[in-house]
Amino acid sequence: MTTTTELASSDPTVHAQRDLLRLATAGSVDDGKSTLIGRLLYDTKSVLADQLSAVERATAARGGSEVGAVDLALLTDGLRAEREQGITIDVAYRYFSTARRAFVLADTPGHVQYTRNMVTGASTAELAIVLVDARKGVLEQTRRHATITALLGVPHVVLAVNKMDLVDFDEATFRTIADDFARYADAIGLTDVRAVPLSALAGDNVVDRSDRTPWYDGPTLLEHLESVPVGRDAHAEAFRFPVQVVIRPRNAEHPDYRGYAGRIASGVVRVGDDVTVLPSGKTSTVTGIDTFDGPLDEAHAPQSVTLRLADDVDVARGDVLVPTRETVTVGADLEGTVCWLAERRSVLGARVLVRVGTRTVRALLREVNARLDIDTQTVEVWDGVDTQYTVDATDTSSDTAPRALTLNAIGRVRLRLAEPVVLDDYATHRSTGGFLVVDPADGTTLAAGMIGPTLLDRLTPTPPPSAADDDWLAGAGI
């Protein structure tokens, strides 16, 4: 094998210029996901000496015959239960880098009962690696992972056809699997898919190009990770600035200073730009952009800055600054797709908290009108749900399954908010189109969601608006 990727550089300016790729992995049990991640870490020399020594000892204790042998899966399966069962249970983040790029890798579980963990890990990813065992091909679990990837709007996908050494690196086997996955990916809206034949255990086409796949002329996995487009063109995105805190030092040096601090979620802001504060609708002009290192004339996502405005408008935590000339949806009726993260199921009419950006408001769970069957990739639509009656989440006396979302379920909900918020569609504003549903009693996160139409709406028509009487909302304090 010949090394095709430069793994290190002594020039400090090269490292300073590296960009960052966030990626997530998904795969069925025994597809070799932990071994693949371990191979990436090992071959890019991203494993500390003491970690490597500990893994060598653990490998020997588990029956490793060769001195210095390394079970690469042990580099990633950190929990004792993961090592004992040979499965990944929780999301773990791994960091590695080359001379060209830095990487944050979310190692997510493949089991269906850990769907919520995969949603968490992939929610910020720009690329997903979906593993397939070359002996088994595309499985139901593979389609499940692809569906979640499409639902979360991950722009790039790598189909890693692993264990090619166990099928004698047969080209026909690889092509069949790649074509099968491509057809399904096209049906659910995944447009950028790259298939790579590899053997994580032996290292073929992971970091180094394999001599055993002369028929494959594409990049190795690491070459693709280093070259895939990352980040967003801030100048092409609409400006969004959720305010985190209002800064008023009121000291001798800054007696009249008023700044609004936060992280730019998307787009670019410049001194002199006209902005609107939502949801109030007040307008002003940016007169200053302050940072720890000094003032700027222009800032872009994802920089953290403090903005100063020309007018003393009422701005508080949770408000969002947007361009004055842009039409932005603001409302108190939120409809979106959620992944249910809690052990207890959803309760219609329940009082909850909804967090959108830096804003938290009281809300009622008004409807659950659709649920995605991940096994069949079909959507069950519920019409005429009566939300005027609270469902007892602990009642198991009925043989009829409740129309509710349970742990790991994905469905469409409608929430009535006590105050209006910015309602950016997740499909076009991934940074501000997400939300959380929180239990006000104990702070438990009940669900993570995406505002507006998503994959569920592409798979089935949107149900008609509910004819439920809104008067009951007023009685509930909304």
Side-chain angles (χ1 to χ4, degrees):
M1 297 184 187
T2 58
T3 302
T4 59
T5 303
E6 183 183 5
L7 300 180
S9 174
S10 58
D11 184 357
T13 61
V14 172
H15 293 274
Q17 296 171 357
R18 290 180 304 178
D19 51 16
L20 174 68
L21 173 64
R22 297 181 180 273
L23 62 150
T25 60
S28 303
V29 178
D30 295 330
D31 277 353
K33 181 164 57 66
S34 295
T35 301
L36 175 62
I37 298 172
R39 172 63 65 184
L40 279 171
L41 298 176
Y42 185 76
D43 284 1
T44 57
K45 299 177 176 58
S46 301
V47 184
L48 298 177
D50 57 342
Q51 288 180 297
L52 189 59
S53 297
V55 170
E56 288 175 351
R57 292 193 297 270
T59 301
R62 295 177 58 153
S65 57
E66 299 182 12
V67 177
V70 177
D71 183 348
L72 296 175
L74 297 181
L75 289 172
T76 55
D77 287 337
L79 299 177
R80 177 178 297 178
E82 293 178 334
R83 295 189 179 190
E84 291 176 349
Q85 299 179 46
I87 63 174
T88 301
I89 296 174
D90 203 358
V91 179
Y93 292 91
R94 316 293 174 184
Y95 307 89
F96 66 100
S97 63
T98 67
R100 300 180 185 177
R101 181 169 285 176
F103 303 90
V104 178
L105 187 152
D107 181 13
T108 66
H111 279 259
V112 62
Q113 60 263 42
Y114 302 125
T115 298
R116 60 175 176 176
N117 302 62
M118 180 184 173
V119 169
T120 300
S123 61
T124 58
E126 296 176 89
L127 182 145
I129 301 175
V130 179
L131 261 74
V132 173
D133 188 326
R135 299 169 300 173
K136 303 174 183 177
V138 175
L139 304 175
E140 187 175 278
Q141 187 76 335
T142 309
R143 292 189 287 271
R144 178 180 294 114
H145 294 148
T147 300
I148 295 175
T149 300
L151 181 70
L152 293 172
V154 179
H156 309 289
V157 177
V158 174
L159 176 67
V161 184
N162 193 26
K163 302 189 179 182
M164 286 296 297
D165 53 318
L166 300 183
V167 295
D168 297 324
F169 293 93
D170 180 56
E171 179 181 5
T173 299
F174 170 73
R175 301 296 180 196
T176 299
I177 295 172
D179 292 344
D180 188 10
F181 185 84
R183 285 191 295 270
Y184 183 75
D186 183 66
I188 60 175
L190 293 174
T191 57
D192 184 9
V193 178
R194 162 74 69 172
V196 180
L198 52 85
S199 169
L201 186 63
D204 296 86
N205 291 332
V206 180
V207 172
D208 299 329
R209 185 170 297 279
S210 175
D211 296 331
R212 296 190 283 185
T213 55
W215 42 265
Y216 174 70
D217 58 1
T220 66
L221 177 61
L222 185 60
E223 286 175 343
H224 182 64
L225 296 182
E226 287 186 318
S227 61
V228 69
V230 299
R232 302 162 298 178
D233 182 2
H235 292 81
E237 293 187 320
F239 172 63
R240 295 289 186 275
F241 183 74
V243 176
Q244 293 183 352
V245 64
V246 179
I247 298 178
R248 294 205 66 191
R250 295 181 180 179
N251 53 28
E253 185 178 358
H254 302 286
D256 300 316
Y257 186 94
R258 183 195 296 266
Y260 309 103
R263 183 182 183 186
I264 301 175
S266 61
V268 178
V269 63
R270 303 173 182 86
V271 174
D273 283 355
D274 294 329
V275 295
T276 298
V277 181
L278 295 178
S280 69
K282 301 294 184 180
T283 61
S284 188
T285 302
V286 177
T287 58
I289 304 173
D290 299 329
T291 70
F292 180 80
D293 297 319
L296 300 174
D297 293 326
E298 176 182 306
H300 57 81
Q303 288 179 291
S304 294
V305 299
T306 299
L307 301 184
R308 287 180 281 119
L309 303 181
D311 305 287
D312 290 335
V313 294
D314 184 10
V315 182
R317 173 181 171 83
D319 289 342
V320 181
L321 273 58
V322 303
T324 296
R325 290 171 296 278
E326 182 183 355
T327 301
V328 181
T329 302
V330 176
D333 286 305
L334 187 159
E335 183 164 4
T337 300
V338 299
C339 176
W340 201 259
L341 307 179
E343 297 285 348
R344 54 185 181 274
R345 63 179 173 83
S346 63
V347 177
L348 296 175
R351 299 186 183 190
V352 296
L353 297 176
V354 173
R355 292 176 182 168
V356 182
T358 57
R359 192 176 189 85
T360 302
V361 299
R362 294 179 297 115
L364 288 181
L365 180 56
R366 186 176 180 181
E367 287 186 17
V368 178
N369 53 41
R371 181 171 56 189
L372 173 66
D373 186 331
I374 300 182
D375 295 332
T376 61
Q377 286 75 50
T378 58
V379 176
E380 179 184 5
V381 178
W382 296 326
D383 293 326
V385 177
D386 186 353
T387 60
Q388 298 188 42
Y389 299 95
T390 300
V391 179
D392 182 1
T394 62
D395 182 13
T396 58
S397 60
S398 175
D399 294 332
T400 303
R403 289 182 170 181
L405 299 178
T406 55
L407 177 64
N408 295 319
I410 294 173
R412 187 169 52 223
V413 301
R414 293 183 67 194
L415 293 148
R416 169 61 63 87
L417 311 181
E419 306 168 23
V421 299
V422 173
L423 298 175
D424 279 333
D425 282 351
Y426 182 86
T428 53
H429 297 276
R430 195 178 180 200
S431 57
T432 54
F435 65 94
L436 295 176
V437 181
V438 179
D439 188 333
D442 56 13
T444 300
T445 300
L446 301 175
M450 293 144 281
I451 300 171
T454 63
L455 177 63
L456 267 71
D457 300 272
R458 292 199 297 271
L459 294 176
T460 188
T462 303
S466 172
D469 187 357
D470 285 352
D471 290 344
W472 72 283
L473 293 167
I478 295 298

